[in-house]
Amino acid sequence: MIDYSIIDNNIGLNELVAKWGGDGVSSVAMDFEEESNLHCYGEYVCTMQLFDGTCYYLVDCLALSRTEEGRASLKAFLEGPIEKVMFACQSDAALARKTLGIQLANIYDIRVLAMALGLTGNLSSLEEKYIKTDVSEVPFLEGTLHGSKKKFQTANWMRRPIPREQIIYALGDVAHLFELKAVLEGEVLQTLSVSKQKEIAYEMKRCALPKNPERPGWEKICNYRLLGYRERVFIKHYFLARDSVARRRNVPASRVLAKQDIVGMAKAQDWRGFVPAGSRELETAFSKAHENALKELRKPVV
């Protein structure tokens, strides 16, 4: 059985990166697990899974991000020269920018190769096609996953200690990235033109960078772009009110009020009838939000 190590402080991460430098390791497989307003308020990078071709590591990003030294170590590694092999890095890169102030660098995104080859499946489907393995089994941990992978994608990654099945799932996501990279690189060389290969190289350099300007949360609510100016103003202030209540309660915003109710309130330009009766906290928050929206609407549009 191949073992794995848990790293929960800056010293451990710094020593690992230094060891890789001494051993000549220039590329590692990497993935993140996160919390995105499913079990508590806010977004967090919770764990970072690493595989250097021989050993597996589970980095507790929650623990490291609590200290200045830990955040500095994460930044030095994630923005540093070691190549990080990932699959579909965009959402992870956006979360690292938003929550850690880190721009992932030197990312090799296998999905760039897959898309160039016309392969639109997820990581599991590509592993099943090319690696010929049962991705529900991770033999180095002497265990198997029970239930669908979605169960673990929506699991609570804030929990400590991390449940064993979640560790199996997390490390499994980096177990075959090197193999998959080699196979897809071979197909690219065999089937795609030189000009297409240059396009892939160009896209690989940009894969972790933001493709569009970051938008505030209220602009991501369904049907926002279909709303008129007044409705957009109301949806912004109602959204901010819901967010402030969720932050105080430390619960996902959806538990305070559903997105569709925010849209309904904006269209009605009134919060009454949507907020549960009897909640003084909500009534106060949304009443104030309504006043703020009216104040903004009275200002001249520039």
Side-chain angles (χ1 to χ4, degrees), residues 17 51 150 291:
V17 174
F51 176 50
K150 186 172 179 60
E291 292 177 13

Side-chain angles (χ1 to χ4, degrees), residues 57-214:
Y57 304 89
L58 188 72
V59 180
D60 187 343
C61 293
L62 288 180
L64 268 74
S65 63
R66 292 190 188 106
T67 68
E68 184 176 342
E69 296 82 3
R71 291 191 296 272
S73 294
L74 285 170
K75 184 178 180 68
F77 168 65
L78 292 171
E79 295 185 352
I82 293 179
E83 178 186 76
K84 300 95 179 171
V85 180
M86 303 184 71
F87 181 84
C89 73
Q90 266 290 313
S91 63
D92 289 333
L95 187 64
R97 283 192 299 272
K98 181 177 181 179
T99 64
L100 299 173
I102 292 172
Q103 173 59 60
L104 302 188
N106 293 303
I107 301 298
Y108 190 104
D109 192 337
I110 292 173
R111 190 170 186 271
V112 173
L113 302 180
M115 296 296 289
L117 292 166
L119 304 168
T120 57
N122 59 20
L123 177 60
S124 294
S125 65
L126 290 175
E127 288 175 333
E128 290 168 1
K129 177 180 175 65
Y130 289 102
I131 309 302
K132 308 299 182 185
T133 183
D134 182 350
V135 295
S136 69
E137 296 184 4
V138 189
F140 58 81
L141 285 177
E142 294 184 345
T144 58
L145 302 180
H146 301 288
S148 69
K149 293 191 76 172
K150 186 172 179 60
K151 162 187 170 183
F152 299 99
Q153 292 165 353
T154 58
N156 186 353
W157 291 96
M158 302 285 286
R159 292 175 60 187
R160 295 296 181 272
I162 303 172
R164 181 176 176 78
E165 273 205 328
Q166 288 180 216
I167 293 176
I168 294 173
Y169 164 81
L171 296 181
D173 272 353
V174 296
H176 304 293
L177 291 182
F178 284 136
E179 296 172 76
L180 191 57
K181 175 189 175 187
V183 171
L184 294 183
E185 281 182 336
E187 287 213 4
V188 165
L189 290 174
Q190 292 176 12
T191 64
L192 299 184
S193 66
V194 173
S195 62
K196 187 64 178 177
Q197 291 175 35
K198 289 181 179 179
E199 289 179 19
I200 292 172
Y202 173 75
E203 180 62 27
M204 200 67 76
K205 292 179 180 179
R206 304 176 66 256
C207 63
L209 299 176
K211 296 189 180 298
N212 299 296
E214 296 288 347

